[in-house]
Amino acid sequence: MSLHPLVFRKSSFSTTSDCVQWAHAMDGVYVGDSKDAEGLTFRVSYLEWDEFTAAVLAGDAAPGRLTHEAVTTDVSVFLAADSGLALKFNESEWAAFKAAIAAGEVHQRHAS
């Protein structure tokens, strides 16, 4: 966990309070789910975050420890870490996250 309080952000394109959330810190980017703000978070390096968000935007498989997989039966996306733990997002939550990536919101580093 970061030594500084984490300030999580979510997409400005989200129409609900539920979305992928992220926090920039000195030791990397923390990723979680705003539906469970106190729940599971993953920490990745800034390089891994950049690779992951570029892959999501391009519709490619992510090359690093974070992966994403669409499940067409219920239109969900699972965001998983190499630990096997996963976060689940519905289609509108994932679309808002992708829009945030396209708008550059996920790379705006704020003091943490």
Side-chain angles (χ1 to χ4, degrees):
M1 181 58 77
S2 173
L3 298 175
H4 302 284
L6 296 174
V7 178
F8 280 94
R9 299 189 56 192
K10 68 178 192 73
S11 173
S12 67
F13 297 91
S14 177
T15 58
T16 68
S17 62
D18 302 337
C19 194
V20 177
Q21 65 178 7
W22 63 91
H24 294 279
M26 296 290 291
D27 59 344
V29 179
Y30 289 78
V31 186
D33 185 345
S34 64
K35 292 186 297 288
D36 184 10
E38 300 299 318
L40 177 66
T41 59
F42 306 129
R43 183 184 59 80
V44 295
S45 71
Y46 278 103
L47 177 61
E48 290 171 311
W49 180 244
D50 291 346
E51 290 173 343
F52 172 71
T53 55
V56 169
L57 190 59
D60 297 333
R65 294 185 306 132
L66 279 181
T67 60
H68 58 95
E69 176 182 349
V71 179
T72 56
T73 56
D74 63 358
V75 197
S76 294
V77 175
F78 287 91
L79 177 60
D82 58 358
S83 63
L85 300 173
L87 300 168
K88 180 180 176 182
F89 301 97
N90 67 33
E91 182 178 26
S92 64
E93 293 166 346
W94 195 249
F97 178 59
K98 288 176 70 173
I101 295 170
E105 293 179 5
V106 300
H107 297 296
Q108 296 175 5
R109 297 184 179 151
H110 299 277
S112 307

